[in-house]
Amino acid sequence: MTDDELLLEIDYTGYDSSCRDPHITPSEDLVQCRRLHGHDDDTHGTRAGGRAIRWTAGSLAA
């Protein structure tokens, strides 16, 4: 999935339908997955302005 495809998925997924798996970025920001619940792979993602942030399942770490 390209960044553009991921961002489109996030843009069209309502908060009540999003995964919301938590993740701490290298800059120590807490983000939550905004991909649609039931996404087929273990890659979570959210939007940071015009770019995508991705992480793998079970990667909550500081």
Side-chain angles (χ1 to χ4, degrees), residues 6-30:
L6 176 60
L7 293 172
L8 276 174
E9 178 185 348
I10 291 165
D11 287 346
Y12 287 95
T13 300
Y15 190 72
D16 58 338
S17 298
S18 61
C19 170
R20 292 184 277 183
D21 180 78
H23 176 66
I24 298 174
T25 67
S27 60
E28 298 186 4
D29 294 319
L30 177 65

Side-chain angles (χ1 to χ4, degrees), residues 3-60:
D3 278 0
D4 286 342
E5 291 169 334
L6 176 60
L7 293 172
L8 276 174
E9 178 185 348
I10 291 165
D11 287 346
Y12 287 95
T13 300
Y15 190 72
D16 58 338
S17 298
S18 61
C19 170
R20 292 184 277 183
D21 180 78
H23 176 66
I24 298 174
T25 67
S27 60
E28 298 186 4
D29 294 319
L30 177 65
V31 297
Q32 290 182 306
C33 181
R34 285 301 310 274
R35 295 191 65 192
L36 186 65
H37 273 296
H39 46 82
D40 292 334
D41 58 34
D42 286 334
T43 302
H44 298 293
T46 194
R47 175 183 281 281
R51 68 184 181 91
I53 297 174
R54 301 168 190 260
W55 65 96
T56 56
S59 63
L60 182 63

